[in-house]
Amino acid sequence: MLPIPVIAASAATAAAIPLAVASWWAGRTAAASTPNSDAFTDLRSVDLERSALDRVLRPASAALARRMRRFTPAGWVATLERKITLAGAEQSWPLERVLAVKAMVAVGGVLGVLSALRSDQGLNFLLITLALTAAAYFVPDLILGGRAKERQAGIEVSLADTLDQVTIAVEAGLAFEAAIARAAHTGRGPLAVELMRALQEMQLGASRQDALRNLAERTEVPDLRTFIFAVIQAEGYGLPIAQVLRVQAAELRDKRRVRAEERALKVPVKIIFPLVSCIFPSLFIVLLGPAAIRIWRALS
């Protein structure tokens, strides 16, 4: 029979898996249920109509996340929250869910280490348990970091074309907000999502400058920040917005061309390593192999 710490560690690790799956599923499907009632509402029936995920798992994970946040350094929490913001995962993977998953993994790792110490499994088993626990603990950070970089790269790629659309729309007579809305509705990708979010903030009462500043804080693309600050300064000094947009669009096109040229110049350097390690040996075998065989036969 297995020791109790081993069983507890397995149970804690297994509990983290459905929490992660439920968090992923909750971010993709939004369940909204409105009970029908004429005059009175039975709170008990309304509560029972909720799924077990809403009634049990989410409050438990929220409490676990609050306790985990107390023991986690503030810098780590701020960095993790920043990664979530840059990855655009505030709805699917909020900070509380990530901390809850980390807490379960940490508890499972501690129980696994204790079971290894009590059962005398050896140093190798202890090191493997520690390595797996550390890897599982930092997996959400790595996933969010990779998704954040990919998302910021997508914003940088689509920024120049989107700004061209906004410039054309403003020069055609549309207002700045209407031009942004048109570019957001016709565009795809993370930049269109961020523009729609900025427009929603404006509709809820935020000023244009505040909405644009919030957009700059949610991203780490230097070109987008430059464009936003240029628009804010133009609005503050009373400059024509169409002229500012035209200048910013021209600069972004030049920067995109320069980046494309830099990537093209890096291609020969990147090709050298696979060329030397993979292509040249095969080529030498095909060309020099028959000659080496004939020389060997002639000398023997």
Side-chain angles (χ1 to χ4, degrees):
M1 183 177 180
L2 295 175
I4 295 178
V6 176
I7 298 175
S10 303
T13 305
I17 297 176
L19 178 61
V21 175
S23 300
W24 173 79
W25 183 259
R28 290 180 172 268
T29 59
S33 60
T34 304
N36 295 323
S37 60
D38 297 328
F40 301 98
T41 302
D42 189 0
L43 297 179
R44 183 174 180 275
S45 61
V46 172
D47 188 58
L48 290 176
E49 287 181 359
R50 299 168 58 194
S51 62
L53 177 65
D54 295 330
R55 289 186 284 111
V56 179
L57 192 55
R58 287 182 178 175
S61 63
L64 188 60
R66 287 193 297 269
R67 292 182 179 274
M68 186 65 182
R69 192 164 189 170
R70 296 177 183 177
F71 298 100
T72 305
W76 290 8
V77 175
T79 302
L80 183 60
E81 190 173 7
R82 180 62 177 171
K83 289 181 180 180
I84 293 174
T85 302
L86 294 178
E90 295 93 342
Q91 300 295 329
S92 58
W93 278 96
L95 182 61
E96 289 75 13
R97 293 179 186 173
V98 178
L99 291 178
V101 172
K102 283 177 169 289
M104 289 187 177
V105 172
V107 171
V110 171
L111 294 177
V113 171
L114 293 177
S115 65
L117 293 176
R118 292 188 58 183
S119 58
D120 296 333
Q121 294 289 339
L123 182 60
N124 293 331
F125 182 78
L126 179 61
L127 293 178
I128 291 174
T129 303
L130 290 174
L132 292 177
T133 303
Y137 186 83
F138 289 105
V139 159
D141 300 77
L142 297 177
I143 294 176
L144 290 173
R147 186 175 177 183
K149 290 181 180 179
E150 182 180 357
R151 193 168 186 269
Q152 300 306 307
I155 292 176
E156 184 178 6
V157 169
S158 59
L159 179 60
D161 295 334
T162 303
L163 186 54
D164 286 336
Q165 295 179 10
V166 174
T167 304
I168 294 173
V170 170
E171 290 179 347
L174 289 178
F176 180 74
E177 288 82 0
I180 292 291
R182 184 178 182 84
H185 285 295
T186 58
R188 295 181 179 178
L191 181 57
V193 175
E194 292 296 338
L195 291 178
M196 287 298 300
R197 186 172 176 179
L199 290 174
Q200 291 174 358
E201 292 180 358
M202 294 180 192
Q203 293 175 358
L204 291 176
S207 63
R208 180 192 298 180
Q209 295 184 359
D210 294 337
L212 292 177
R213 287 194 181 96
N214 294 334
L215 175 59
E217 292 177 358
R218 292 194 301 269
T219 58
E220 285 187 347
V221 181
D223 295 336
L224 181 58
R225 288 174 173 267
T226 302
F227 162 69
I228 290 174
F229 294 149
V231 171
I232 292 175
Q233 288 182 355
E235 185 178 1
Y237 289 109
L239 299 176
I241 191 68
Q243 182 179 358
V244 175
L245 291 176
R246 193 181 309 111
V247 173
Q248 292 295 320
E251 290 182 358
L252 283 181
R253 285 196 298 270
D254 294 338
K255 290 181 180 180
R256 184 172 59 177
R257 185 179 67 253
V258 171
R259 284 196 296 266
E261 292 176 354
E262 291 179 356
R263 293 172 183 171
L265 293 176
K266 292 178 181 178
V267 169
V269 180
K270 295 179 179 179
I271 290 179
I272 290 177
F273 298 101
L275 189 67
V276 173
S277 60
C278 300
I279 300 178
F280 278 172
S282 303
L283 187 63
F284 289 155
I285 291 174
V286 172
L287 295 180
L288 301 180
I293 294 174
R294 291 182 180 180
I295 294 174
W296 176 262
R297 291 178 178 176
L299 293 178
S300 61

